[in-house]
Every structure is written in structure tokens, then in C-alpha cells.
């Protein structure tokens, strides 16, 4: 019932995995609400949630079958830090209003039907740490602004192909970022050679995962990558013809499989 919001000291609501509809018409009355989880419920109307107090930071609404564009009410929550709308039958493009959510730290929009090119404005979200846009229908290049996003640690854009999309163009080096640890771009249409300076500013002792499998990448896997001590580099399903032997002695690569199997644990070149 909407009277739940009159409980002024209520901070968290979790109705996930229930056959209910949670209304938000009187949400502005909830002055201390921090988090709402309506994932896997029948909730579809978020009218009123745009009036959330400054204290409201987290909305989890996966598999709520919103259908259509990302609701404007949701992208109007000015202090939102975590937003998860996976498997919601969302379509259309990522709205410009999303980039007004300057406090956003984690954004999960995977497994929808979002289309068009991915906006190249991620440097405007200086607090964003995790971005998940996998399994949509995006086309076009990988945004270069990832390289300038101050806090970005993990990016997941894999498998735009299955639903008819596919990211294209060359692999962006991301040579100035110091924060990215996980970059998932598998199952797209990326082509050309691997950049020698990929993630060159990232600390070499940190664990790094880069998935570029099942693209159209050609050429050589560069020996310059041996600066990374613990790297998972997935390159199968491409057109790569050479693997620098310097990488074959990186015993901690591929979850330590290189120490046991050598270069075969990384890739068998075409």
C-alpha cells in the first residue's frame, strides 16, 4: 500500500521476487528511503519516484518488464548511485538525461533491446565505477570517453550480435585510464590490429581481465602486454596470426593456466 511511505524512518524496501505491484505516487513522503528493490515483481509504473529525497541512492528493478524507453521518472532521481534495470524489455536509445545523474556509481542495463550507438559522454559521470550494457543491440564504435572516465573500473559491452547489433571499428587503446580493471567486448564486430599501448597506464601488478573473443581482430598479440603480471586476455574466435613469445612465460596469466600450458593457454594463432 502507498501508506508505507508514511513510515518516515523506513530506509529500505525489498519486495523482490513477489507477485506484487509497488506504487510510487506518494514516494516523496518517504524522507529517509535509501534503497528500493522491486526486481522480479509486477511493478511497471514508476510515476512519483522522481520526487525521491536526496537520501535515496539505490533502485533495483531487474526483470520488471518495463517495456519501451528508460522511464524519465527514473533518470530524474538526482542523487541515484546504483541503478539496475536488467531484463526489463527496454528499447530505444540511452537518454541524454542519464548523464545528469552525476552521483551514479553503478549502472546495469544488460539483457534489454537498447539500440543505436553508445553515447560518448561517460567522462561526464565522474563517479561511475561499473557500466553493464551487455546483450543489447548497440552498433558503432566503442566510446573513447571510457578512457577519460575518472572512476570507471569495469565495462561490460559483450554480445551485441545476438539481437542484431554489433560494436564495430578498431579496439580503443584506453591508454590513459588508470582505473579500468575489467573490459568485456566479446562477441561483436571489432576489427583491425590490437593496440600496443592498450591499458598502458594501468598498474601492472593488478589483476586485469580483457575479453575480445569472437570479433574480427587481426595481426599480433604484442609483447608489451607482458607488463601485466596477472592478466586474463580472451582472444579466441578472431583472426590473430601471431603471439609474442614474451607472453608465454607469464605464469600467472589466464588464472595461472599459462604456467602450466604456456602460450596455448592464451591462444592458438590462426
Amino acid at each position: 500500500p502507498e501508506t508505507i511511505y508514511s513510515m518516515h524512518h523506513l530506509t529500505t524496501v525489498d519486495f523482490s521476487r513477489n507477485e506484487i505491484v509497488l506504487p510510487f505516487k506518494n514516494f516523496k513522503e518517504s524522507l529517509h528511503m535509501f534503497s528500493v528493490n522491486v526486481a522480479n515483481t509486477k511493478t511497471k509504473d514508476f510515476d512519483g519516484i522522481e520526487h525521491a529525497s536526496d537520501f535515496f541512492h539505490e533502485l533495483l528493478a531487474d526483470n520488471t518488464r518495463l517495456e519501451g524507453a528508460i522511464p524519465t521518472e527514473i533518470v530524474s532521481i538526482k542523487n541515484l548511485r546504483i541503478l539496475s534495470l536488467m531484463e526489463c524489455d527496454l528499447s530505444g536509445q540511452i537518454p541524454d538525461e542519464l548523464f545528469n545523474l552525476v552521483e551514479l556509481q553503478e549502472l546495469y542495463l544488460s539483457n534489454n533491446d537498447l539500440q543505436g550507438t553508445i553515447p560518448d559522454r561517460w567522462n561526464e559521470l565522474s563517479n561511475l565505477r561499473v557500466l553493464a550494457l551487455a546483450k543489447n543491440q548497440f552498433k558503432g564504435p566503442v566510446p573513447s570517453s571510457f578512457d577519460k572516465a575518472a572512476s570507471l573500473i569495469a565495462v561490460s559491452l559483450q554480445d551485441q550480435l545476438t539481437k542484431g547489433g554489433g560494436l564495430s571499428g578498431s579496439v580503443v587503446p584506453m591508454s590513459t585510464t588508470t582505473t579500468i580493471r575489467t573490459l568485456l567486448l566479446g562477441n561483436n564486430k571489432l576489427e583491425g590490429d590490437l593496440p600496443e599501448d592498450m591499458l598502458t597506464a594501468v598498474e601492472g601488478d593488478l589483476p586485469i581481465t580483457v575479453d575480445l573473443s569472437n570479433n574480427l581482430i587481426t595481426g599480433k598479440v604484442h609483447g608489451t602486454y607482458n607488463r601485466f603480471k596477472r592478466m586474463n586476455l580472451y582472444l579466441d574466435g578472431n583472426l590473430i596470426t601471431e603471439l609474442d613469445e614474451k607472453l608465454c612465460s607469464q605464469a600467472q596469466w589466464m588464472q595461472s593456466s599459462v604456467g602450466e600450458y604456456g602460450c596455448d593457454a592464451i591462444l592458438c594463432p590462426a
Side-chain angles (χ1 to χ4, degrees), residues 45-261:
D45 186 359
F46 287 83
D47 184 28
I49 201 170
E50 70 273 20
H51 301 301
S53 74
D54 291 345
F55 196 69
F56 185 63
H57 290 163
E58 180 178 83
L59 176 61
L60 309 177
D62 298 339
N63 198 20
T64 50
R65 305 303 175 195
L66 294 175
E67 302 178 351
I70 298 173
T72 56
E73 296 89 352
I74 291 177
V75 293
S76 298
I77 307 171
K78 59 182 179 179
N79 281 345
L80 202 59
R81 296 183 182 178
I82 298 176
L83 174 60
S84 190
L85 299 175
M86 298 190 291
E87 297 184 76
C88 290
D89 288 338
L90 295 171
S91 58
Q93 300 187 5
I94 293 178
D96 290 340
E97 291 82 0
L98 180 73
F99 295 93
N100 294 329
L101 304 181
V102 295
E103 300 297 329
L104 198 62
Q105 297 177 7
E106 300 177 22
L107 176 62
Y108 304 93
L109 296 174
S110 297
N111 290 293
N112 284 293
D113 294 305
L114 297 170
Q115 304 168 347
T117 58
I118 299 174
D120 202 1
R121 300 175 56 184
W122 302 100
N123 55 307
E124 297 176 25
L125 299 178
S126 60
N127 293 300
L128 188 66
R129 295 166 56 86
V130 178
L131 175 64
L133 301 176
K135 298 184 179 180
N136 280 284
Q137 301 179 37
F138 291 116
K139 296 181 179 180
V142 175
S144 60
S145 57
F146 291 151
D147 200 18
K148 301 173 184 177
S151 303
L152 198 57
I153 293 175
V155 178
S156 172
L157 305 178
Q158 72 264 40
D159 194 11
Q160 305 299 321
L161 282 176
T162 298
K163 296 182 178 181
L167 301 177
S168 57
S170 59
V171 178
V172 178
M174 302 196 191
S175 56
T176 60
T177 178
T178 61
T179 58
I180 288 181
R181 309 281 185 269
T182 301
L183 181 60
L184 308 179
L185 299 170
N187 205 23
N188 280 290
K189 299 178 181 179
L190 300 175
E191 57 188 356
D193 294 345
L194 291 168
E196 286 193 62
D197 56 348
M198 184 170 63
L199 298 176
T200 192
V202 175
E203 178 70 41
D205 290 331
L206 295 171
I208 304 294
T209 296
V210 176
D211 182 1
L212 294 167
S213 61
N214 300 308
N215 279 280
L216 301 170
I217 299 168
T218 55
K220 177 181 181 179
V221 185
H222 303 288
T224 51
Y225 300 166
N226 72 345
R227 61 181 293 275
F228 297 111
K229 306 306 178 187
R230 293 180 290 164
M231 189 176 203
N232 298 316
L233 179 60
Y234 300 101
L235 295 169
D236 56 290
N238 284 288
L239 303 171
I240 292 169
T241 55
E242 185 178 352
L243 180 66
D244 196 303
E245 292 185 0
K246 292 178 184 177
L247 306 179
C248 303
S249 60
Q250 296 290 67
Q252 296 185 68
W253 272 43
M254 308 303 287
Q255 299 178 337
S256 298
S257 293
V258 173
E260 185 172 356
Y261 300 108

